[in-house]
């Protein structure tokens, strides 16, 4: 499948979960565009789609119906992870895709041994081949999200600059604590990313201030604006840097990638 070669001296990938159980916060937009921007910086990047809606798959212009295997088969031990990884239109970017079958995995894994560690085990097989593995988690706090958090080094939390942005975040932070206590003591908060910022709105500025007072230096300097091109690009099956690299949305995601790379 055109996999990146394993390099003996290569350090294991940094595995970053992108999580927020609220929908519509720019989670998949961030997963796709941050992964693409890291790839543009020539970092070997794997994007893992753990959301049954599979928006990261279509956002990269890959036809869901053409996939012989997905992360669903990997989680259920029906195939090895190497066989499910596919190339994307960007060199340096690979995808471990999902599809709607993944919805059933929550139920099918319930009685399986080590059910929370299935993704971790799969990613350990390929972690040496990549610099970054970005995992787009589903907008819920079920078993798929727990698998994502158990497999990751850190969590990037996108927050939209709108009413009630911080509401419901307590649940996510509680889930992170439970995973730290029981499954993954090394899990950290990578950063909090403010998305859908409209500088004309006083409310948006208030959300920025509230988030900074709550999370302090965990908040990225980069703030993702509301941007028409950014909203359009998934329907063309392209990350923003392939759709319109000159637009503000593309520039901010490239800037975010620089922040992530420098934050080692």
């Amino acid at each position: 499948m055109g996999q990146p070669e394993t390099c003996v001296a290569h350090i294991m990938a940094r595995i970053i979960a992108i999580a927020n159980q609220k929908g519509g916060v720019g989670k998949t937009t961030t997963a796709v565009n941050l992964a693409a921007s890291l790839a543009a910086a020539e970092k070997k990047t794997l994007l893992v789609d753990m959301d049954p809606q599979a928006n990261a798959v279509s956002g990269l212009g890959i036809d869901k119906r053409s996939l012989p295997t997905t992360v669903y088969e990997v989680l259920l031990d029906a195939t090895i992870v190497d066989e499910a990884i596919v190339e994307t239109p960007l060199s340096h970017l690979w995808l471990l895709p999902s599809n709607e079958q993944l919805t059933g995995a929550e139920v099918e894994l319930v009685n399986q041994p080590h059910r929370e560690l299935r993704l971790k085990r799969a990613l350990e097989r390929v972690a040496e081949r990549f610099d970054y593995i970005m995992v787009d988690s589903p907008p819920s706090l079920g078993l798929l999200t727990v698998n994502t958090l158990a497999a990751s080094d850190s969590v990037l939390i996108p927050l939209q600059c709108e009413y009630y942005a911080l509401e419901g975040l307590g649940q996510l932070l509680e889930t992170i604590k439970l995973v730290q206590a029981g499954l993954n003591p090394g899990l950290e908060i990578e950063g909090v990313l403010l998305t859908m910022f409209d500088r004309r709105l006083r409310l948006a500025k208030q959300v920025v201030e509230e988030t900074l007072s709550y999370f302090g230096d965990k908040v990225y300097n980069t703030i993702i604006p509301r941007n028409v091109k950014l909203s359009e690009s998934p329907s063309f099956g392209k990350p923003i840097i392939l759709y319109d690299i000159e637009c503000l949305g593309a520039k901010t995601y490239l800037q975010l990638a620089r922040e992530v790379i420098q934050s080692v």
Side-chain angles (χ1 to χ4, degrees):
M1 279 288 179
Q3 309 284 318
E5 290 163 29
T6 305
C7 163
V8 179
H10 199 286
I11 300 160
M12 297 291 242
R14 265 173 79 190
I15 304 176
I16 302 174
I18 298 173
N20 188 332
Q21 81 276 19
K22 269 174 99 167
V25 297
K27 186 176 56 60
T28 299
T29 300
T30 296
V32 168
N33 290 306
L34 177 54
S37 298
L38 288 166
E42 299 193 347
K43 301 291 180 189
K44 287 179 184 166
T45 305
L46 174 66
L47 176 58
V48 180
D49 193 347
M50 280 289 280
D51 188 342
Q53 294 169 50
N55 291 332
V57 177
S58 46
L60 286 170
I62 291 163
D63 179 7
K64 297 177 205 182
R65 292 159 307 191
S66 70
L67 299 164
T69 51
T70 67
V71 72
Y72 167 77
E73 284 86 4
V74 173
L75 293 173
L76 290 171
D77 286 337
T79 189
I80 56 166
V81 63
D82 314 60
E83 290 181 0
I85 292 173
V86 295
E87 290 180 342
T88 75
L90 274 163
S91 56
H92 296 93
L93 180 62
W94 288 263
L95 175 70
L96 176 54
S98 78
N99 59 22
E100 58 279 359
Q101 271 187 302
L102 191 55
T103 313
E106 297 256 355
V107 178
E108 290 168 65
L109 285 172
V110 164
N111 298 316
Q112 299 289 329
H114 311 300
R115 60 185 185 197
E116 298 96 345
L117 299 172
R118 294 299 180 96
L119 183 64
K120 179 182 172 69
R121 212 170 54 194
L123 295 184
E124 279 169 353
R125 279 184 63 101
V126 295
E128 283 184 359
R129 300 186 208 157
F130 299 98
D131 299 303
Y132 290 91
I133 297 176
M134 314 298 295
V135 190
D136 185 22
S137 64
S140 67
L141 293 175
L143 192 52
L144 294 176
T145 296
V146 170
N147 258 275
T148 300
L149 297 174
S152 300
D153 299 313
S154 58
V155 191
L156 187 159
I157 305 170
L159 276 189
Q160 85 285 33
C161 296
E162 289 170 8
Y163 278 115
Y164 310 128
L166 294 166
E167 203 168 273
L169 207 55
Q171 278 176 291
L172 175 62
L173 298 174
E174 196 52 44
T175 304
I176 290 170
K177 271 191 197 141
L178 290 169
V179 170
Q180 284 168 329
L183 297 165
N184 185 0
L187 183 66
E188 295 176 354
I189 291 181
E190 176 76 25
V192 176
L193 176 69
L194 290 156
T195 63
M196 304 180 192
F197 178 74
D198 185 339
R199 58 193 172 80
R200 297 167 303 182
L201 300 179
R202 203 170 79 215
L203 170 72
K205 291 171 184 165
Q206 276 175 295
V207 172
V208 173
E209 283 164 26
E210 275 177 46
T211 307
L212 281 165
S213 71
Y214 191 81
F215 286 103
D217 61 2
K218 285 286 181 197
V219 182
Y220 288 107
N221 295 323
T222 305
I223 296 179
I224 307 299
R226 276 204 176 280
N227 180 256
V228 175
K229 299 281 188 183
L230 209 45
S231 314
E232 286 174 356
S233 63
S235 58
F236 289 87
K238 289 182 176 180
I240 192 64
I241 58 168
L242 292 185
Y243 182 60
D244 183 354
I245 198 160
E246 292 299 316
C247 77
L248 188 56
K251 287 175 180 164
T252 47
Y253 273 110
L254 287 165
Q255 193 179 318
L256 175 65
R258 279 195 291 275
E259 259 195 90
V260 169
I261 291 164
Q262 285 160 9
S263 73
V264 179

